[in-house]
Amino acid sequence: MPNTKQTDIAAIRNILERILDISESPVPRCRLLSSGFGPSHTLKVKEELTGTRACLGCGNCIDICSLLAREPARLKRTAQRTSLALETMVGTDCDRCYQCVLSCPQVDTTIKHFIVKNRSIEQMRHLLAHLQPTDDYYLDQFYEESGNERKPD
Ligand code: SF4
Ligand code: SF4
């Protein structure tokens, strides 16, 4: 639920690029670079939340994580559904697929659009680099969406 006046990519581009190059979950840092809670939320609370950059604990980033989808045993490390929990479960094995950032309600649309426009190819390259021969589901989906025939092994 970001603010209507969101973070200007030009002002954060260098640090954002560095964050997206690290093999750790990028969502907490992207959340902190965002504009925070917008005033149009429907939560019934008395506190003024506008500008709050806190994790909401919604768990969207955990549900969408490609690494956790492949290795669900990691989900047993904690029952929490926060960005800190995601960092604990992923560690330095992040695929850099950026789906956690795209799914987070606390990350500005400006940052999400930057990723969609500038990081799609790298996103797929990093993901393919992490896949094992048994992860055929992902490879088949990739080949299907790219319009290429997959050659038999
Ligand atoms: S693998 Fe993807 S969804 Fe999971 S932490 Fe890394 S960038 Fe986020
Ligand atoms: S998707 Fe939800 S749980 Fe994950 S960092 Fe964003 S607000 Fe927190």
Side-chain angles (χ1 to χ4, degrees):
M1 292 156 252
N3 264 306
T4 43
K5 182 163 175 37
Q6 299 191 3
T7 299
D8 180 2
I9 289 296
I12 61 161
R13 181 160 183 157
N14 286 348
I15 185 69
L16 181 59
E17 296 271 21
R18 284 173 59 192
I19 288 168
L20 297 176
D21 282 337
I22 299 170
S23 297
E24 294 176 14
S25 171
V27 69
R29 296 179 182 92
C30 287
R31 179 162 49 70
L32 293 174
L33 284 175
S34 296
S35 58
F37 227 67
S40 60
H41 65 82
T42 59
L43 296 178
K44 307 292 185 203
V45 293
K46 291 184 181 155
E47 293 82 18
E48 172 57 58
L49 294 177
T50 304
T52 301
R53 295 178 176 82
C55 173
L56 306 176
C58 68
N60 285 354
C61 54
I62 291 173
D63 292 341
I64 202 73
C65 177
S66 56
L67 176 69
L68 298 180
R70 289 201 313 281
E71 300 181 22
R74 290 176 183 247
L75 289 163
K76 293 181 183 151
R77 291 180 185 173
T78 172
Q80 291 185 10
R81 289 173 59 77
T82 61
S83 59
L84 184 59
L86 179 69
E87 289 182 287
T88 301
M89 292 187 273
V90 168
T92 55
D93 298 325
C94 173
D95 287 336
R96 282 179 279 174
C97 70
Y98 311 131
Q99 294 304 311
C100 52
V101 179
L102 300 181
S103 71
C104 178
Q106 286 286 67
V107 173
D108 279 355
T109 311
T110 49
I111 293 177
K112 292 175 179 176
H113 283 180
F114 176 82
I115 289 174
V116 170
K117 288 177 186 168
N118 297 282
R119 290 282 177 148
S120 296
I121 301 295
E122 280 169 283
Q123 204 175 352
M124 191 53 75
R125 185 164 55 82
H126 290 311
L127 186 56
L128 284 172
H130 281 86
L131 293 179
Q132 302 298 318
T134 48
D135 294 321
D136 269 0
Y137 166 76
Y138 296 95
L139 286 176
D140 288 345
Q141 192 177 47
F142 171 66
Y143 280 101
E144 189 179 312
E145 291 182 5
S146 67
N148 292 318
E149 291 276 327
R150 187 178 178 196
K151 295 189 179 90
D153 295 330

